[in-house]
Amino acid sequence: MPAISASAPGKIILFGEHAVVYNRPAIAVPVLQVAAKATVVADPLAPPHTVWIDAPVIGLSSALNDLDENHPLRYVISLVMQALGVSEFPSARIKLTSTIPIAAGLGSSSASSVALARAVSEFLGHPLLDDQVNQIAFEVEKIHHVHPSGIDNTVTTYARPVFFIRNRPVEQMEIGAPLTFVIGDTGQGSHTSVVVADVRRNWTLDPKKYDAIFDQIAGCTLQGRQVMKSGSLTELGQWMLLNHELLRKIDVSSTLLDSLVASAVSSGALGAKLSGGGRGGNMIALAPSIDHATEIASTLKNAGAVNTIVTTVPASKR
Ligand code: PMV
């Protein structure tokens, strides 16, 4: 039996992180330059129902049954088996690799779940549909984050730009002109669950203030959707900058994120903001053209980014 492989991309959030947890809209796009990849291969020489899993990026090499039942990778596999009505897994070796930086707001946990659910279901003879994969990845996100919005699993599953509102069907987006983003990594790991919990505590203490900011962020997201459709890059950059200011107000930025945003703008980016959970992880800058992206990337590196990725969202086909 040949090895079965599946992969899923990284992602960036263009608008609406954190507010999306409180039912406001958000926009995310896939980052195809980085991906998680799962490979499953039958191991007929192993004792029956022995599954070995290797995930070198998290230093994991273990029998599946030795993992805690709530371990995200074991949980993905048991949800797939449940969905397919399979009770015993044939002996196999599973390998999960990823080029998506971990704890950096680029969707590594979701992409791992999506890639694994796809590879395992195909290996078991019944590839799951995207909607089922998305649902499984969402269930697993609940282990990583107590109250996930579902945007990460959605964009990594469908691998296209999404306009997302919690608990609503995902909306496809129209993109009027190609959008080139430079992603700058602060190198500072940040756990989204911790930042999301802090925001929740502050929201509970002052719901009026926080809801007003979330409404303003929702305004940026709605305007962002419109200008992405019309292809007005200058306006798009302005809405990103406003969104970043609002994220600062809810205290999810950091000194380095703020200075990378400022450096990107000083080197000609039309706009920039943190992307994802914040307090570290990555920021994104909108380049006026693909040619200008290299200059922005080198400015970000000089300003302290440990890594940069240039990614382009193509215009929708008409
Ligand atoms: O996983 P991250 O760091 O890209 O953050 C996800 C976006 C949040 O809005 C902060 C959380 C969520 O569940 O939507």
Side-chain angles (χ1 to χ4, degrees), residues 11 13 16-21 104-107 109 141 145 147-152 166 190 192 196 275-278:
K11 70 101 216 327
I13 296 183
E17 50 272 272
H18 289 288
V20 69
V21 175
L106 292 182
S109 57
E141 279 296 280
H145 313 302
H147 201 64
S149 66
I151 191 168
D152 279 18
R166 200 189 173 94
S190 169
T192 300
V196 167
S275 180

Side-chain angles (χ1 to χ4, degrees), residues 111-193:
S112 299
S113 299
V114 169
L116 188 58
R118 283 193 178 130
V120 164
S121 63
E122 194 177 335
F123 176 78
L124 293 173
H126 300 280
L128 292 173
L129 301 173
D130 280 350
D131 289 354
Q132 295 170 295
V133 170
N134 189 28
Q135 194 53 44
I136 287 174
F138 183 50
E139 289 307 315
V140 178
E141 279 296 280
K142 291 179 189 167
I143 299 179
H144 294 284
H145 313 302
V146 182
H147 201 64
S149 66
I151 191 168
D152 279 18
N153 47 281
T154 302
V155 67
T156 49
T157 298
Y158 298 101
R160 56 177 160 76
V162 295
F163 179 84
F164 178 89
I165 301 176
R166 200 189 173 94
N167 296 327
R168 295 230 201 129
V170 58
E171 269 182 48
Q172 198 151 348
M173 295 196 63
E174 239 183 90
I175 313 287
L179 308 171
T180 296
F181 295 99
V182 184
I183 304 169
D185 188 349
T186 61
Q188 298 169 337
S190 169
H191 287 285
T192 300
S193 54

Side-chain angles (χ1 to χ4, degrees), residues 40 51 53 64 67 71-83 86 89 94 116-117 120 124 136 140:
V40 189
V51 180
I53 184 157
L64 188 63
L67 297 178
H71 188 286
L73 302 181
R74 182 166 177 186
Y75 193 39
V76 171
I77 294 169
S78 59
L79 289 175
V80 171
M81 290 171 71
Q82 215 172 299
V86 170
F89 206 102
I94 299 176
L116 188 58
V120 164
L124 293 173
I136 287 174
V140 178

Side-chain angles (χ1 to χ4, degrees), residues 14-315:
L14 304 192
F15 291 102
E17 50 272 272
H18 289 288
V20 69
V21 175
Y22 300 81
N23 302 321
R24 272 54 167 205
I27 295 173
V29 300
V31 177
L32 304 176
Q33 285 78 1
V34 287
K37 181 177 174 196
T39 302
V40 189
V41 61
D43 193 358
L45 300 180
H49 314 303
T50 306
V51 180
W52 191 266
I53 184 157
D54 284 306
V57 277
I58 52 167
L60 178 92
S61 183
S62 169
L64 188 63
N65 285 341
D66 288 345
L67 297 178
D68 189 276
E69 281 190 4
N70 280 332
H71 188 286
L73 302 181
R74 182 166 177 186
Y75 193 39
V76 171
I77 294 169
S78 59
L79 289 175
V80 171
M81 290 171 71
Q82 215 172 299
L84 298 179
V86 170
S87 55
E88 301 279 13
F89 206 102
S91 294
R93 294 188 77 92
I94 299 176
K95 185 162 186 183
L96 184 69
T97 56
S98 178
T99 54
I100 308 173
I102 293 172
L106 292 182
S108 73
S109 57
S110 284
S112 299
S113 299
V114 169
L116 188 58
R118 283 193 178 130
V120 164
S121 63
E122 194 177 335
F123 176 78
L124 293 173
H126 300 280
L128 292 173
L129 301 173
D130 280 350
D131 289 354
Q132 295 170 295
V133 170
N134 189 28
Q135 194 53 44
I136 287 174
F138 183 50
E139 289 307 315
V140 178
E141 279 296 280
K142 291 179 189 167
I143 299 179
H144 294 284
H145 313 302
V146 182
H147 201 64
S149 66
I151 191 168
D152 279 18
N153 47 281
T154 302
V155 67
T156 49
T157 298
Y158 298 101
R160 56 177 160 76
V162 295
F163 179 84
F164 178 89
I165 301 176
R166 200 189 173 94
N167 296 327
R168 295 230 201 129
V170 58
E171 269 182 48
Q172 198 151 348
M173 295 196 63
E174 239 183 90
I175 313 287
L179 308 171
T180 296
F181 295 99
V182 184
I183 304 169
D185 188 349
T186 61
Q188 298 169 337
S190 169
H191 287 285
T192 300
S193 54
V194 174
V195 189
V196 167
D198 279 356
V199 172
R200 181 155 295 269
R201 198 171 315 113
N202 292 330
W203 173 74
T204 316
L205 293 174
D206 194 349
K208 226 171 137 188
K209 173 182 162 192
Y210 273 70
D211 276 325
I213 298 174
F214 294 151
D215 284 342
Q216 286 176 277
I217 292 176
C220 293
T221 306
L222 292 171
Q223 295 290 341
R225 172 169 67 166
Q226 212 159 325
V227 295
M228 283 168 78
K229 186 175 173 183
S230 67
S232 170
L233 300 191
T234 310
E235 281 178 87
L236 181 59
Q238 292 301 313
W239 290 114
M240 288 170 64
L241 285 168
L242 179 55
N243 194 160
H244 183 74
E245 277 312 306
L246 294 164
L247 289 165
R248 276 166 51 82
K249 283 195 185 164
I250 59 167
D251 194 27
V252 299
S253 191
S254 69
T255 312
L256 183 53
L257 282 166
D258 289 345
S259 78
L260 291 179
V261 165
S263 302
V265 172
S266 74
S267 70
L270 298 173
K273 64 183 275 292
L274 70 85
S275 180
R279 301 244 175 100
N282 281 271
M283 50 73 68
I284 55 173
L286 176 65
S289 67
I290 191 148
D291 298 339
H292 203 103
T294 324
E295 188 179 327
I296 297 170
S298 72
T299 303
L300 287 175
K301 281 215 170 131
N302 290 334
V306 295
N307 190 28
T308 55
I309 299 170
V310 176
T311 188
T312 297
V313 180

